[in-house]
Amino acid sequence: MRLLMNTRNLGLTCLLLWPFMALGAAAPLGLALGDDDEKGKEEEEEKESEPIPEEDKDAYFALLNADIYTGTGTLLRGAGLLSKNGKIVEIGYEILIPGRDYYADIEEDERDFRVEILDAGGMRVYPGLVAISSSGLTGASGDFRDSIDPFSSNMILGLAAGITSTGQGRAAVKLKRYISQDPPLAYDFDGVVLSSKTYASMSWSSSSAKRTLREKFTRAAEYLREYHQWQIDVKKDKELKEPKKSGVDGSTLEVLKGELLPRFRADERLDLLGIARFAQEFGFRPVIDGCREGWTVADELGRAGAMAILTARDRRDKGEELRREGGSSIENATLLSAAGVQVAIVPSSKGISLSGIVGRDIMHLTVEVDFAIRGGLSERLALDSITRVPARMMGISHRVGTLEVGKDCDLIVTDGDLLHYETFVQYAVVDGDLVYDKQDELYYAHIRPRPESSLAPEETLDAGENEGSQDEDEDDGDGDGDEDEEKEDDEE
Amino acid sequence: MMILNTLLLATSPLLAAQPAVPGGGTLAIKVGRAETVSDGTVLHAVILIEDGRIAVVGEDLPIERGIPVVDLGPDSVVIPGLVNAYSRQGMDSRGSNKSNPGLRASGELYPAFRDYKKLLEAGVCTLGLYPAGNGIPGRAVAVRTQGSTPAEMILADDVYLKILLRSSASSKSMITKGFEEADEYAKKEAKAREKWEKAKEKADKKNKKKKKDEQEDPGPGPFVAPQKDPKAAAFQELRDRELSALISIRSAGDFLHLFDAIGEEQFDFALRVPLSRETNLFLVKRELKELGCAIIMEPRLSLHPATQRQRNLPHEMVKAGMQLVLIPSSDSLDSHQKWLNDTGVLVGAGLPSHDALRAMTLAPAKVLGLAERLGSISAGKDANMLFFTGDPFEPSNKVKTVMLEGKIVFGEL
């Protein structure tokens, strides 16, 4: 309903009340009413029945006429996308939209669904960005479900930067904003946290830490071997007891079982090599945060199936005393990727800072990625590094990171190439809800304001058909009226 | 008018007998303008006061001979006595972080507090005093600002249960757990009752069968409900609408969390929102409109977040259909004395003055559950009235006379 209200300003084309769009649909209705009085009565009775509560309605969101970068390497030009209750149900061409292409003859207040249509003509659509780690984007701390601030201005800024999901502490959360609608909908608190435990933190910093780690992994591996043997033996001897779990570290066990990815913090070549060998020895895939000298040992890391979290613009020379290669390299991401290391990229500052040197905070994921591109990384891998790879690292790639049928409808609509520095996020959608519209927020609306004409091309309707369609006119009038009132209120 | 007339006549024989003294007994007051709050503005008003209560209010009513009349002149204005529903004036205990829904603020009432007199002189006739603390600090008490013993001061006890809600799991669980405990108690009580009924049935059967010479089985006696935990009790009372809540939140985010915590539960509550510089409550105007409850705020202009643009949030709340309740800008004597002036700033910024007056009188009286008794100038209510010469919101116009329950307690008529 919010979209209806803002129709003109948002440049959204609402086609809900397009009367008699399908003449075929109108004709049988007329016949039914004319022929069968009883049926007419029945319909009247139905009208008197109670309106369907807003929460019980199916929520559709449709996006039309966009160049969709699905994040899987595919580009669909001039395509559409439909989501139902927050999940993508269709991507492609000639998508049928309820309320427009079918069920168009049901009055709006009698529908058991609501639909928002966003015409993104001429714009690009990408999966919502995934920041592998950030701070302060949700206004929450610790228990995210119960402390999130759905009105946080940092959340709006995060969405403006294209981020729809982020790692915060150990958890992965969505930037679920609440925008008041008419009638109001309950906020989906349960949808805030994607995962409460996204990684197991491992330390490779000191010799004692390494020793402890080895002990933990040895014990966990031993337990797993015992457990597997027991699984075989118990078939023969049912009395056999399950092996004892004492002294087994829970997270380590999860890592060995492949349920959780371990995360190390390491930059130096020797540490990286050590981690790679350790991982190969025990058979798990390490995620290495930092990985500054990774390019010098890319092959080893690749063989160990490592993943890396990089800050692409990192600049640090190697120690002068070292004769080997070392320090940072702008080619780090390129060389690692070439060796099979999946790379996620994140700026050096994890929070939002609106002052100081521009372009280094979490709002500039795409700018950070540009440094990797300068070092030779392909644009496809660059996009991966801020979408599907971080999603994979956090174990949430089954829900976010790419635009595919069945995944969450988290996407951003941009006015140009996502990785271009001039590009703005025009809309952000989380779980099929439009939660950010550049023109509605105070932050960037004034910079290159959206030319309404190019965004919402006037629908070339048949003048004859459209004439006398009271409903549509009324609706337009209403929408603008509401919007104006709202504005007035705000000014007072 | 006829009805009022007869009413006046009817009361007259009684009055004629006793000579009326200003400050007690029966008195008719002629005022240029009466802001009744409940029935709008009455010009050339006549207010008849009898035994501390307002007997009649009307425009140019004829006054029976024998009733003393005070004519305050055409410039005089009368408004109801002010009600501050959310205060800790005269209370000095320190609260804890522990929830204590059974605690009553009336227990720490200190009638000798020297500022009560000054509050009354500033026009504040009624106070809602709440216990200090975080979480659920306890139950508030409504008092008149005069009296030498707690009993003389108290108008009503248990007027609301104060709850502080913040966006955090622990704070939210306070409410959910409270209702859960009430559920558990209800189960426990049902079980005990079942057990008691069985025992009683058994005894009854035995008594029926008994032979004449046998002694009667006394049975289990009257039903005794199991001991109630104060938390369970408070939430049960909320559910049964025997008690209402006053829930303090700070932001639009807290508001959503509040609803998440309440879930399906139904109970009466008022919202308290301390107005900070950038309170963003306007973001949930629609949701507030659906709720339509009382909202307690300071008379203060705030700013649109991240800008210097002024917002009159109290006015926005009135427009959203909320019952606005204003309190002094801080809980000090000074702020009480400037309360009308501070509210005048809101009126200057667009809040209609009748809404402003209601927010300081009848609306807070409702929060305290005393709307039947005070908060407006209408027949049957306590004669709590403030007299001015000119607009009460005009900073240069101070309260000239304060009447508490028919007695002049400050100034003179």
Side-chain angles (χ1 to χ4, degrees):
Chain A
M1 291 308 105
R2 156 174 33 103
L3 290 190
L4 278 179
M5 198 179 74
N6 296 339
T7 304
R8 196 166 291 164
N9 268 19
L10 298 188
L12 300 174
T13 318
C14 172
L15 305 164
L16 298 188
L17 295 172
W18 203 343
F20 308 121
M21 205 210 66
L23 283 172
L29 183 75
L31 279 176
L33 287 173
D35 288 353
D36 202 340
D37 280 354
E38 275 181 26
K39 203 163 188 178
K41 272 180 197 166
E42 269 176 36
E43 277 179 21
E44 270 177 26
E45 277 172 18
E46 273 176 20
K47 267 184 192 170
E48 282 166 21
S49 66
E50 276 185 31
I52 302 152
E54 209 61 25
E55 267 87 357
D56 295 347
K57 289 183 182 177
D58 281 332
Y60 288 95
F61 171 79
L63 187 117
L64 303 174
N65 306 325
D67 291 350
I68 301 181
Y69 292 74
T70 61
T72 57
T74 315
L75 163 61
L76 303 167
R77 289 199 186 276
L81 177 148
L82 181 71
S83 86
K84 181 184 178 185
N85 298 332
K87 301 278 180 197
I88 298 169
V89 288
E90 230 175 315
I91 307 178
Y93 300 92
E94 290 172 18
I95 291 170
L96 295 179
I97 299 167
R100 187 190 73 166
D101 302 323
Y102 58 100
Y103 295 150
D105 49 339
I106 306 176
E107 291 285 331
E108 206 178 323
D109 47 355
E110 286 170 27
R111 289 176 178 169
D112 60 353
F113 62 89
R114 57 176 180 277
V115 56
E116 296 181 354
I117 300 177
L118 175 61
D119 191 329
M123 294 200 272
R124 304 189 190 202
V125 172
Y126 295 91
L129 305 186
V130 181
I132 183 77
S133 69
S134 72
S135 65
L137 288 191
T138 52
S141 57
D143 190 329
F144 293 97
R145 185 201 180 280
D146 287 321
S147 64
I148 189 166
D149 181 2
F151 303 95
S152 150
S153 55
N154 274 1
M155 188 185 289
I156 303 171
L157 286 168
L159 291 166
I163 301 167
T164 56
S165 306
T166 177
Q168 293 225 305
R170 289 288 173 83
V173 296
K174 280 200 178 193
L175 272 63
K176 270 181 94 75
R177 195 181 160 203
Y178 181 80
I179 298 179
S180 179
Q181 303 186 37
D182 188 21
L185 281 170
Y187 180 74
D188 175 23
F189 281 97
D190 295 324
V192 171
V193 178
L194 277 161
S195 164
S196 55
K197 196 178 178 190
T198 56
Y199 65 90
S201 183
M202 304 275 161
S203 172
W204 196 265
S205 54
S206 62
S207 53
S208 68
K210 288 174 203 169
R211 195 165 55 243
T212 325
L213 202 63
R214 178 166 291 281
E215 279 163 12
K216 275 186 189 170
F217 271 90
T218 311
R219 174 70 190 105
E222 188 184 60
Y223 167 78
L224 268 186
R225 271 194 295 277
E226 281 170 13
Y227 183 78
H228 287 309
Q229 191 57 45
W230 171 78
Q231 275 185 319
I232 296 164
D233 294 344
V234 81
K235 282 173 192 160
K236 293 174 201 156
D237 179 6
K238 283 186 181 164
E239 300 289 294
L240 214 59
K241 274 185 187 164
E242 205 179 312
K244 276 183 188 163
K245 231 178 183 174
S246 61
V248 181
D249 179 56
S251 308
T252 311
L253 194 62
E254 281 179 275
V255 168
L256 282 181
K257 282 180 175 175
E259 291 165 356
L260 200 63
L261 284 171
R263 198 176 291 179
F264 294 86
R265 168 86 224 177
D267 282 312
E268 305 282 321
R269 172 192 165 112
L270 281 179
D271 287 341
L272 298 176
L273 276 177
I275 293 167
R277 280 165 197 161
F278 185 74
Q280 275 174 302
E281 185 184 336
F282 285 96
F284 65 89
R285 302 187 65 173
V287 174
I288 304 170
D289 191 357
C291 211
R292 186 186 306 124
E293 293 184 343
W295 58 281
T296 63
V297 287
D299 286 347
E300 282 86 347
L301 291 176
R303 268 198 293 281
M307 300 184 184
I309 301 171
L310 308 179
T311 298
R313 72 164 83 196
D314 197 17
R315 289 282 173 284
R316 191 165 306 180
D317 293 335
K318 64 167 181 168
E320 276 182 19
E321 75 284 6
L322 293 178
R323 301 182 70 187
R324 62 163 173 86
E325 282 184 313
S328 60
S329 164
I330 197 160
E331 289 180 284
N332 200 5
T334 317
L335 295 173
L336 284 170
S337 293
V341 177
Q342 295 187 25
V343 169
I345 292 176
V346 70
S348 57
S349 165
K350 306 295 189 292
I352 286 177
S353 77
L354 298 176
S355 56
I357 300 168
V358 183
R360 297 205 294 199
D361 66 342
I362 200 72
M363 285 197 73
H364 293 86
L365 273 179
T366 54
V367 171
E368 192 67 41
V369 160
D370 288 340
F371 283 86
I373 294 174
R374 176 179 281 188
L377 192 67
S378 74
E379 290 194 15
R380 195 174 67 79
L381 288 174
L383 179 62
D384 281 357
S385 75
I386 47 175
T387 53
R388 72 204 295 204
V389 174
R392 238 175 239 157
M393 284 177 181
M394 292 193 280
I396 52 172
S397 58
H398 59 297
R399 288 189 55 191
V400 300
T402 57
L403 298 177
E404 292 173 88
V405 170
K407 286 199 182 181
D408 294 6
C409 183
D410 292 1
L411 55 86
I412 51 176
V413 181
T414 65
D415 51 13
D417 186 339
L418 177 68
L419 303 176
H420 193 276
Y421 67 95
E422 269 185 273
T423 300
F424 267 108
V425 172
Q426 296 286 343
Y427 303 101
V429 175
V430 172
D431 290 329
D433 286 329
L434 188 74
V435 286
Y436 173 76
D437 179 340
K438 176 169 165 272
Q439 289 316 107
D440 276 2
E441 306 300 334
L442 152 104
Y443 303 99
Y444 302 109
H446 59 293
I447 305 173
R448 289 195 293 284
R450 210 153 58 213
E452 294 304 332
S453 53
S454 76
L455 281 158
E458 291 281 315
E459 286 293 330
T460 47
L461 296 173
D462 184 324
E465 260 184 27
N466 200 24
E467 219 169 302
S469 84
Q470 278 305 104
D471 283 355
E472 190 165 84
D473 288 346
E474 268 173 28
D475 188 64
D476 267 40
D478 265 14
D480 288 344
D482 284 353
E483 177 63 12
D484 292 343
E485 275 170 34
E486 197 69 19
K487 280 265 161 67
E488 276 168 26
D489 281 1
D490 289 352
E491 275 156 22
E492 277 167 17
Chain B
M1 205 54 74
M2 281 308 290
I3 301 165
L4 292 175
N5 209 341
T6 42
L7 262 170
L8 268 183
L9 290 170
T11 51
S12 56
L14 239 165
L15 316 171
Q18 45 183 283
V21 188
T26 307
L27 180 69
I29 303 173
K30 281 181 155 182
V31 194
R33 182 158 65 98
E35 299 290 352
T36 64
V37 177
S38 52
D39 307 304
T41 306
V42 178
L43 294 176
H44 310 296
V46 174
I47 304 167
L48 183 75
I49 296 151
E50 198 181 8
D51 298 333
R53 285 171 191 265
I54 296 162
V56 191
V57 186
E59 189 182 330
D60 273 336
L61 295 180
I63 303 164
E64 186 70 8
R65 248 182 9 178
I67 301 177
V69 181
V70 181
D71 191 343
L72 295 173
D75 292 336
S76 57
V77 176
V78 61
I79 64 169
L82 304 183
V83 181
N84 178 3
Y86 189 80
S87 174
R88 279 193 52 74
Q89 282 292 307
M91 329 270 287
D92 59 359
S93 74
R94 299 242 173 104
S96 69
N97 285 328
K98 266 190 171 174
S99 287
N100 198 350
L103 188 80
R104 289 195 166 91
S106 51
E108 53 171 314
L109 203 53
Y110 180 56
F113 178 59
R114 61 194 157 83
D115 284 349
Y116 284 140
K117 188 170 182 292
K118 288 178 188 160
L119 286 171
L120 190 56
E121 286 171 5
V124 183
C125 297
T126 316
L127 287 173
L129 300 170
Y130 60 88
N134 284 323
I136 306 179
R139 299 154 186 246
V141 59
V143 300
R144 53 173 76 80
T145 42
Q146 200 177 48
S148 50
T149 62
E152 274 179 45
M153 287 186 78
I154 293 175
L155 288 163
D157 207 350
D158 290 0
V159 288
Y160 56 76
L161 179 70
K162 192 187 168 190
I163 301 175
L164 258 107
L165 188 103
R166 298 287 177 261
S167 300
S168 76
S170 59
S171 183
K172 286 167 80 176
S173 72
M174 205 168 60
I175 292 181
T176 46
K177 280 216 181 106
F179 282 116
E180 273 166 27
E181 272 172 40
D183 279 340
E184 261 166 44
Y185 174 77
K187 262 186 223 162
K188 210 164 134 190
E189 195 196 8
K191 235 181 205 174
R193 187 174 286 276
E194 206 177 304
K195 201 175 161 191
W196 173 78
E197 270 168 7
K198 262 186 193 165
K200 198 179 175 223
E201 210 175 302
K202 207 173 157 189
D204 285 350
K205 258 186 197 170
K206 214 174 176 183
N207 289 343
K208 262 186 196 172
K209 278 184 199 163
K210 75 169 170 105
K211 287 162 199 160
K212 271 183 187 172
D213 52 332
E214 256 179 307
Q215 226 181 10
E216 195 163 311
D217 188 325
F223 176 65
V224 183
Q227 187 74 36
K228 224 180 218 179
D229 170 75
K231 197 167 184 185
F235 280 86
Q236 191 56 47
E237 281 171 65
L238 283 181
R239 248 190 210 156
D240 298 342
R241 312 268 168 124
E242 287 164 8
L243 186 66
S244 65
L246 185 144
I247 305 176
S248 174
I249 59 171
R250 284 180 306 193
S251 64
D254 284 350
F255 180 74
L256 291 190
H257 282 286
L258 168 64
F259 272 77
D260 186 43
I262 291 176
E264 304 281 304
E265 297 293 344
Q266 301 267 338
F267 62 98
D268 297 324
F269 62 89
L271 287 176
R272 155 81 180 125
V273 185
L275 270 190
S276 69
R277 200 178 139 86
E278 295 186 350
T279 300
N280 64 355
L281 209 70
F282 56 88
L283 291 170
V284 287
K285 248 190 258 175
R286 267 197 208 94
E287 289 71 8
L288 288 167
K289 194 172 194 166
E290 294 232 325
L291 195 66
C293 71
I295 188 159
I296 302 171
M297 293 178 152
E298 290 88 351
R300 192 178 291 160
L301 297 173
S302 54
L303 295 178
H304 185 86
T307 69
Q308 294 291 322
R309 206 171 65 178
Q310 276 190 335
R311 295 194 78 117
N312 191 342
L313 261 183
H315 187 201
E316 288 179 54
M317 292 301 121
V318 170
K319 281 198 283 186
M322 303 285 285
Q323 301 158 39
L324 177 69
V325 175
L326 291 173
I327 59 173
S329 55
S330 76
D331 201 5
S332 65
L333 174 65
D334 186 47
S335 293
H336 280 83
Q337 286 163 339
K338 287 194 303 194
W339 193 10
L340 275 163
N341 294 354
D342 289 343
T343 308
V345 173
L346 294 190
V347 175
L351 179 68
S353 65
H354 60 268
D355 286 324
L357 264 185
R358 176 179 293 265
M360 302 170 81
T361 54
L362 192 56
K366 239 178 218 167
V367 169
L368 298 175
L370 294 171
E372 301 286 308
R373 184 163 170 191
L374 46 88
S376 68
I377 302 178
S378 51
K381 290 205 173 175
D382 286 358
N384 295 352
M385 290 187 281
L386 315 181
F387 298 89
F388 296 82
T389 307
D391 182 357
F393 290 120
E394 173 75 42
S396 58
N397 292 339
K398 297 277 179 241
V399 183
K400 282 181 74 183
T401 309
V402 178
M403 179 182 276
L404 177 73
E405 291 164 14
K407 291 190 189 82
I408 306 293
V409 289
F410 171 68
E412 54 189 25
L413 282 177

